[in-house]
Amino acid sequence: MLTLSDHLPDRTCQGYSRRDFLRVGSLALGGLTLAGLLGARAEAGEIARAVTGKSVVLLFLQGGPPHIEFFDPKMTAPPDFHSITGEVKTALPGVTFGGTFPKLAAMADKLAIVRSYGTNNGEHTYQQVLSGRNALKATMGALYSRIAGTSDPKTGMPSNTLILPESLDPTLKLQRNFETDALPTLTAPGALGATYEAFNTAGGGDLNKDMRLAMSPERFQDRRSLLKSLDAFRRRMDASGAVERADQYQQQAYDVVTGGVASAFDLSKEDPRTIERYDTSKLFDIEELHRWNDMRRASNLLGRQLLMARRLCEAGCGFVTVSDCGWDYHANGNSPKQMAGIHPMGGQVDHAVSAFIEDIYQRGLSDKIMLVVTGEMGRTPRLNKDGGRDHYGKLTTLMLAGGGLKTGQVIGESDPHATEPVTTPYGPENLLATVMRGVLDVAAVRTMPEIPSDVATAISDPEPIRELF
């Protein structure tokens, strides 16, 4: 058993334990340890899996990102309807985005915007959206993990992960609120069981007799400490002769985890210009934003979260959920008047997402990594008395990029006031089908005898957003 855990017995503000960071025994398929899994594959031959080799990064903007301020500004509508940030021309003729997204506008030829997408969900209920309302109540990441397995056999990295701001800075003291309380539903496995729940990267460890690797709590802030711990662990294991005494598959499991983890979190190979391009920590004063109750879950670390997401995809993670809170914009005193928070928060999304897309194209990963940007709902088209927007489910922000999708297009239309679709409406079930079609061979899933029929049905029955394929 190889476990990476933390010295500190505390928990994150979401209630996840920091002690168990990565455990070979937990990287299992139906209770089979990684070493056992490797051995079984060698004996029976490589198990055919219905995976495409692609990854998904889901950027979930919790709270309800206002669809009008993002990608459907409606500047021809009356002032109490159209975008308060104005609009900016995009690389697509006749298409404009909200005024806080100039960088994404410039690369609109690499994006697909769905203006007729709505969650039909007017509350902060993430699970309904991210499960596509399937009967199992399992989120997209959990369904993917059920088919692909809970860890990558080559690197040992979990196939379904969650990246919180605390993953980058475990000393953060972001406050709890409704967004935080509902956070576990972002990765809920539903009827599939806890085995398929996403691995929370805000975790970490000490070395003991069951092969635990000690890491300081600053492991994500300073990757050098992680690498130093891994090197020291290897030396101790080599000196003890434990690895040589292990059987072939135990040794392979050891190599998989130590090698895979080290590679995933080693930033020393990153071009400093890439790190700087992603960095959003200097874009705005986070303390100023935290003066407002609804913004106290917000962070300015989104760029580094997306950089970690890209690295985890490269290391074998098939589904990465990136959480960004602070998108509740009633402007009722708990959040800034006149939705002033849209300027720093929208600017951060513009900076971080454009950096991610630019990066995957430069690395030749644009067909391998699909990016999805959405939230649990949209915001009312008409401004309320405080200049804010309230809960609204008929239209919701949805942007996609990469993954081999047909990009450079706006799919669907809303009416002149952005109140409802006037073309084919799409919903969470269509998003689920789109994502599953990207990372899985859906036809093969239907024929896999080891996959329960209810799982196969949840994945294969919904229709994808057809214009993307």
Side-chain angles (χ1 to χ4, degrees):
M1 175 74 72
L2 176 61
T3 299
L4 281 69
S5 56
D6 196 350
H7 297 291
L8 303 178
D10 63 335
R11 292 177 178 269
T12 68
C13 60
Q14 289 78 33
Y16 295 95
S17 171
R18 294 189 189 279
R19 289 199 62 81
D20 290 333
F21 169 51
L22 186 62
R23 186 189 300 267
V24 168
S26 69
L27 299 182
L29 193 58
L32 183 65
T33 64
L34 180 58
L37 177 60
L38 293 169
R41 284 184 178 168
E43 293 171 3
E46 183 66 20
I47 297 175
R49 291 188 174 189
V51 294
T52 63
K54 297 181 180 181
S55 299
V56 171
V57 173
L58 170 64
L59 171 54
F60 199 75
L61 306 176
Q62 293 169 240
H67 59 286
I68 292 175
E69 309 300 341
F70 268 65
F71 306 122
D72 199 3
K74 288 294 188 287
M75 296 307 293
T76 57
D80 55 344
F81 284 89
H82 69 56
S83 169
I84 66 169
T85 64
E87 64 181 345
V88 58
K89 292 182 179 180
T90 74
L92 301 177
V95 175
T96 63
F97 289 172
T100 58
F101 299 99
K103 294 176 181 177
L104 287 176
M107 58 172 60
D109 58 320
K110 296 179 174 63
L111 313 178
I113 306 299
V114 187
R115 286 181 173 170
S116 58
Y117 173 78
T119 61
N120 295 309
N121 169 62
E123 300 297 333
H124 302 292
T125 49
Y126 311 149
Q127 186 275 334
Q128 288 187 31
V129 175
L130 296 178
S131 67
R133 298 189 177 91
N134 67 69
L136 296 168
K137 298 183 178 181
T139 53
M140 292 183 280
L143 285 172
Y144 170 77
S145 183
R146 178 62 182 85
I147 303 300
T150 57
S151 64
D152 184 273
K154 295 180 180 178
T155 66
M157 296 301 294
S159 61
N160 180 23
T161 64
L162 170 66
I163 301 178
L164 306 173
E166 292 91 338
S167 301
L168 280 300
D169 183 358
T171 67
L172 283 178
K173 302 297 181 183
L174 300 178
Q175 293 192 12
R176 296 183 65 97
N177 64 6
F178 64 89
E179 294 179 23
T180 309
D181 291 340
L183 189 59
T185 62
L186 273 181
T187 57
L192 296 180
T195 298
Y196 301 102
E197 186 173 1
F199 169 65
N200 178 11
T201 56
D206 61 7
L207 180 68
N208 64 22
K209 62 183 180 181
D210 72 345
M211 296 174 64
R212 287 189 178 175
L213 173 63
M215 293 184 297
S216 70
E218 293 76 26
R219 66 214 170 278
F220 291 111
Q221 191 71 17
D222 182 1
R223 271 56 169 202
R224 289 175 299 177
S225 65
L226 171 60
L227 299 176
K228 183 177 180 180
S229 295
L230 284 166
D231 289 340
F233 174 73
R234 290 191 188 100
R235 287 195 297 271
R236 285 192 290 270
M237 293 302 296
D238 290 344
S240 71
V243 174
E244 285 73 13
R245 292 194 297 272
D247 68 31
Q248 173 186 352
Y249 303 114
Q250 288 175 323
Q251 291 185 47
Q252 188 176 351
Y254 161 80
D255 292 337
V256 157
V257 175
T258 56
V261 171
S263 176
F265 293 105
D266 182 3
L267 291 185
S268 66
K269 297 179 182 179
E270 290 285 354
D271 188 327
R273 293 173 295 182
T274 300
I275 299 173
E276 180 65 23
R277 174 69 178 89
Y278 271 95
D279 187 25
T280 53
S281 64
K282 300 175 184 178
L283 293 182
F284 57 91
D285 184 349
I286 190 63
E287 296 300 325
E288 177 69 19
L289 206 59
H290 283 176
R291 291 177 54 197
W292 304 92
N293 288 336
D294 284 353
M295 308 300 291
R296 290 179 183 174
R297 273 297 303 159
S299 83
N300 57 1
L301 300 178
L302 180 58
R304 290 164 60 197
Q305 288 175 262
L306 284 175
L307 177 56
M308 178 182 281
R310 188 266 288 163
R311 294 188 63 79
L312 292 180
C313 288
E314 288 182 310
C317 291
F319 202 101
V320 182
T321 302
V322 176
S323 166
D324 186 48
C325 293
W327 291 94
D328 204 36
Y329 283 129
H330 298 288
N332 57 0
N334 283 326
S335 59
K337 294 290 186 181
Q338 307 299 322
M339 291 203 306
I342 189 65
H343 297 281
M345 295 293 286
Q348 176 172 231
V349 170
D350 186 52
H351 184 105
V353 172
S354 63
F356 181 91
I357 295 170
E358 181 181 75
D359 195 17
I360 63 172
Y361 269 86
Q362 290 177 346
R363 292 173 177 272
L365 298 173
S366 60
D367 285 341
K368 291 291 187 180
I369 299 178
M370 178 192 301
L371 174 67
V372 180
V373 181
T374 191
E376 71 268 33
M377 60 184 167
R379 290 275 151 183
T380 50
R382 185 189 292 272
L383 295 171
N384 63 29
K385 62 182 178 60
D386 297 313
R389 300 187 190 273
D390 300 317
H391 296 188
Y392 197 73
K394 289 185 178 180
L395 289 170
T396 307
T397 295
L398 179 58
M399 188 208 88
L400 303 98
L405 300 175
K406 292 181 180 179
T407 55
Q409 62 171 325
V410 173
I411 298 170
E413 297 179 30
S414 62
D415 65 21
H417 291 173
T419 58
E420 60 185 7
V422 295
T423 57
T424 300
Y426 289 112
E429 62 279 4
N430 306 113
L431 178 58
L432 166 66
T434 299
V435 170
M436 292 297 102
R437 183 167 172 176
V439 294
L440 298 173
D441 182 336
V442 175
V445 169
R446 296 192 191 103
T447 63
M448 295 173 69
E450 66 271 31
I451 301 302
S453 60
D454 53 357
V455 175
T457 295
I459 291 170
S460 62
D461 270 15
E463 292 293 325
I465 300 172
R466 61 176 181 271
E467 293 92 338
L468 290 170
F469 297 93

